Amino acid sequence: MTPAGAGICFDGVGVTYPNGVVGLRDVSLDIEPGEMVVVVGLSGAGKSTLVRSINSLVPFTSGEITVGDVAVSGLRGKALRRLRSEIGMVFQSFNLARRTTVLNNVLMGRLYAAPTWRTMLGLWPASDVELAMQSLERVEIVQKAYANASELSGGQQQRVAIARTLAQQPRVILADEPVASLDPPTSHVVMRDLQRINAELGITVVVNLHFLDLARRYGNRLIGLRAGEVVYDGPGADADEKVFESIYGRSLTAEDVLDTPARLT
Amino acid sequence: MSAAVSMSKPTEHPPPAQQRPVRPRTWWKAAAVLVVVAAVTVWSAIAVEVDFGALFRNAGNASRTIGQLLQPDYSYFPETVRPLLETLETAVISTAVAAVLSLPISFLASRATDPSTPLLVAVRFVMNVIRSIPDLLYASLFVTAVATGALSGILALVLFNIGILVKLVSEALDGLDRGGQEAALAAGSGWIKADRSAMLPEISPIYISQTIYVLELNIRASTVIGLVGAGGLGMLIDKVRTFYQYHYLSLVILEILVLVVVLEFVSSYARRKLVR
């Protein structure tokens, strides 16, 4: 049913913002189809820029990104929307429409495919509604389908956001700090959801995190960014204190971990 | 997982000696503003040659008029029913038409929902023109161009209402949380579909509440625009005033008062229910 995950290739990608700030500097990476990659770095290191350049929410200014067999640079209009329809995105602040139902929010994952007149009238095809319900079942929150998004807790909202990406039947899921607004236990629920989706559906998953314990635990592959450059690329389990200190450019503090230090040491 | 990351407990430092800032003195700014406002007011009064003496010279006239106004003639009520209904109908029809037209225009007039700068500028320019003409002027224009009666009143109010509604709703759109829209666009949706599914649900309580507010405005406005011949209670007011029938006039004023109070009660109740 779901097409297999797509590979993502960065070839000498640079991002310079209009105000002159450099977001990424000559980044070259190969992410295999079906891989789960965690990107770490301090805020401002370019994590968000890296993730958002993949679906062109942030346009890159040099190099080339290839998703599957599609070159991202220069994509506009329909072609860009088609690429984005194959890439789900999860945001730090959930980005749900709060005054409408959970089901309607998940159906937004189907907007690319839906005809405009149906969207205007709110008449979703039964097949899309079925797909949305299945997506909600996969993150175990289908009982809230007709509740308003604003009635949900933060963790529930983020699972709805994940269901919204699943409704796209995506080949890639990008998650930009998906647990930064959540408490520790809920963070693990959301990360496990992403891990399970990656394992069961073979969707390529790229996650930004800033807690190093989460990064090591969920990153089969860990990419460390510092000042817009890749400074580490390897298995999460191999990344020790030294590695993180080189990524962060300073010694570690209690703020860098999600769970209590007692559980780590 | 290996316990490679060890945490050192942050060491306790005594708080460094800090200097508290001196509280800024700002009363003279308020005083300056007050002086300027007072000066402008006095100057305006002198410039338009306000003659307070007239208040006292014509006191006899005023007391006679007020005396009559305080004794409404209720027997005139049957004559007022038809214009009263016409005022209500004018207000309701204009509100409905304006509300339908304003919704899409509001989306075109907000930076948050309209990505095209030329379109945005064009729509805002037209809306500014529409808003700069007062309702009474619209009414007298339509009375001249169309005919006296309710149709002119409706046309005038529709334009007046579109000006208000588009302004209020598009500014509310500007201030809305755009997370849902961002997610929809990231999922490959176009702007129209993203606005419809992510922004419309967020704006609808504000839109409905402003529409009720405009209905309230219309009840008042439709009495005023009647004065220039656009139908309803205003036309009746014009008639009885011309013949100095202040007993009748006070009944009409009383009716408007009741209408406005009832409507205000209903609309504030409805808005409380809507915007939670």
Side-chain angles (χ1 to χ4, degrees):
Chain A
M1 180 181 102
T2 310
I8 304 165
C9 175
F10 281 69
D11 184 12
V13 172
V15 174
T16 308
Y17 286 98
N19 61 6
V21 172
V22 175
L24 290 181
R25 210 185 298 269
D26 192 28
V27 170
S28 292
L29 284 172
D30 253 315
I31 298 171
E32 297 296 318
E35 213 173 358
M36 178 148 174
V37 177
V38 169
V39 183
V40 289
L42 289 177
S43 54
K47 302 191 298 280
S48 257
T49 309
L50 181 109
V51 159
R52 283 164 184 258
S53 62
I54 295 172
N55 60 359
S56 205
L57 278 189
V58 171
F60 48 91
T61 40
S62 61
E64 182 61 280
I65 299 176
T66 316
V67 180
D69 50 12
V70 181
V72 177
S73 70
L75 281 186
R76 303 183 60 196
K78 178 90 176 171
L80 177 60
R81 293 201 294 276
R82 204 235 286 301
L83 174 79
R84 285 179 176 173
S85 76
E86 296 187 341
I87 303 176
M89 186 145 192
V90 180
F91 301 83
Q92 173 179 347
S93 46
F94 323 135
N95 282 9
L96 302 183
R98 296 170 56 81
R99 286 186 184 275
T100 188
T101 60
V102 162
L103 182 63
N104 277 337
N105 270 287
V106 177
L107 281 166
M108 282 184 211
R110 302 302 306 159
L111 280 176
Y112 169 77
T116 304
W117 70 269
R118 275 188 174 275
T119 311
M120 287 296 127
L121 300 175
L123 293 172
W124 292 95
S127 56
D128 282 354
V129 175
E130 175 58 27
L131 193 55
M133 287 295 192
Q134 285 174 9
S135 305
L136 284 168
E137 278 163 359
R138 195 167 279 280
V139 290
E140 292 165 356
I141 200 158
V142 73
Q143 74 279 6
K144 296 281 187 190
Y146 296 105
N148 259 7
S150 57
E151 295 163 24
L152 271 54
S153 70
Q156 290 173 325
Q157 290 195 36
Q158 196 59 299
R159 277 145 72 201
V160 171
I162 292 173
R164 179 175 59 196
T165 68
L166 290 178
Q168 289 175 241
Q169 299 184 300
R171 304 181 66 197
V172 174
I173 290 179
L174 308 173
D176 191 7
E177 298 272 10
V179 300
S181 313
L182 302 176
D183 57 44
T186 320
S187 297
H188 286 293
V189 172
V190 166
M191 287 308 298
R192 273 197 294 269
D193 275 335
L194 287 172
Q195 205 175 32
R196 199 158 40 82
I197 286 161
N198 169 256
E200 290 175 6
L201 301 177
I203 300 172
T204 313
V205 176
V206 182
V207 191
N208 277 348
L209 292 173
H210 68 259
F211 291 122
L212 52 89
D213 50 341
L214 279 184
R216 285 174 60 209
R217 181 153 165 194
Y218 295 101
N220 302 336
R221 177 176 171 193
L222 194 83
I223 292 172
L225 280 183
R226 184 171 162 190
E229 286 177 287
V230 177
V231 293
Y232 178 82
D233 187 351
D238 290 357
D240 56 14
E241 193 173 359
K242 283 256 178 322
V243 167
F244 277 103
E245 287 185 346
S246 77
I247 296 172
Y248 287 5
R250 58 162 172 74
S251 52
L252 302 176
T253 70
E255 270 86 57
D256 296 330
V257 290
L258 175 69
D259 291 305
T260 51
R263 280 183 51 188
L264 259 183
T265 46
Chain B
M1 193 169 291
S2 66
V5 184
S6 66
M7 287 301 129
S8 57
K9 201 172 161 21
T11 45
E12 297 284 335
H13 294 291
Q18 297 176 45
Q19 179 145 29
R20 293 191 181 179
V22 180
R23 185 182 168 190
R25 304 272 171 218
T26 51
W27 64 268
W28 60 271
K29 282 186 194 161
V33 170
L34 208 63
V35 166
V36 170
V37 170
V40 169
T41 309
V42 170
W43 176 75
S44 311
I46 294 168
V48 298
E49 294 167 355
V50 178
D51 177 13
F52 290 104
L55 278 180
F56 302 102
R57 284 195 297 280
N58 302 330
N61 252 340
S63 67
R64 201 165 342 106
T65 311
I66 290 170
Q68 287 188 329
L69 280 175
L70 285 176
Q71 297 160 300
D73 184 348
Y74 297 103
S75 68
Y76 190 60
F77 179 72
E79 309 269 330
T80 65
V81 171
R82 192 55 234 137
L84 183 75
L85 283 178
E86 197 174 271
T87 287
L88 256 178
E89 289 155 5
T90 306
V92 169
I93 293 169
S94 338
T95 308
V97 173
V100 170
L101 295 176
S102 298
L103 190 59
I105 303 175
S106 300
F107 276 81
L108 293 177
S110 166
R111 168 94 40 207
T113 47
D114 179 358
S116 156
T117 304
L119 187 60
L120 190 77
V121 169
V123 171
R124 283 189 182 170
F125 177 75
V126 172
M127 293 319 297
N128 281 336
V129 171
I130 289 181
R131 215 174 31 253
S132 66
I133 301 172
D135 51 343
L136 203 57
L137 186 55
Y138 276 128
S140 47
L141 286 176
F142 281 119
V143 166
T144 319
V146 185
T148 54
L151 180 62
S152 294
I154 290 171
L155 290 172
L157 285 181
V158 165
L159 282 176
F160 170 61
N161 293 352
I162 289 178
I164 297 173
L165 267 179
V166 171
K167 175 94 176 157
L168 293 174
V169 174
S170 66
E171 277 180 2
L173 280 169
D174 286 338
L176 229 48
D177 171 42
R178 294 168 65 185
Q181 184 197 44
E182 185 187 17
L185 292 173
S189 166
W191 277 83
I192 295 176
K193 290 193 272 189
D195 285 345
R196 161 63 183 88
S197 34
M199 297 297 266
L200 185 64
E202 309 299 280
I203 199 69
S204 55
I206 298 172
Y207 166 70
I208 294 169
S209 135
Q210 302 295 17
T211 301
I212 295 170
Y213 167 66
V214 159
L215 177 65
E216 206 182 311
L217 280 185
N218 278 356
I219 298 284
R220 292 168 225 250
S222 61
T223 62
V224 177
I225 62 171
L227 292 175
V228 296
L233 283 175
M235 246 158 110
L236 188 66
I237 289 176
D238 195 40
K239 194 175 102 190
V240 298
R241 198 186 52 88
T242 318
F243 296 109
Y244 304 105
Q245 293 162 322
Y246 291 115
H247 295 295
Y248 295 163
L249 181 59
S250 68
L251 178 71
V252 176
I253 293 173
L254 203 61
E255 286 174 12
I256 294 173
L257 180 72
V258 170
L259 203 59
V260 167
V261 168
V262 167
L263 196 79
E264 191 166 309
F265 180 76
V266 171
S267 84
S268 72
Y269 175 79
R271 273 187 273 167
R272 239 194 345 269
K273 284 276 150 196
L274 276 169
V275 187
R276 271 170 299 182

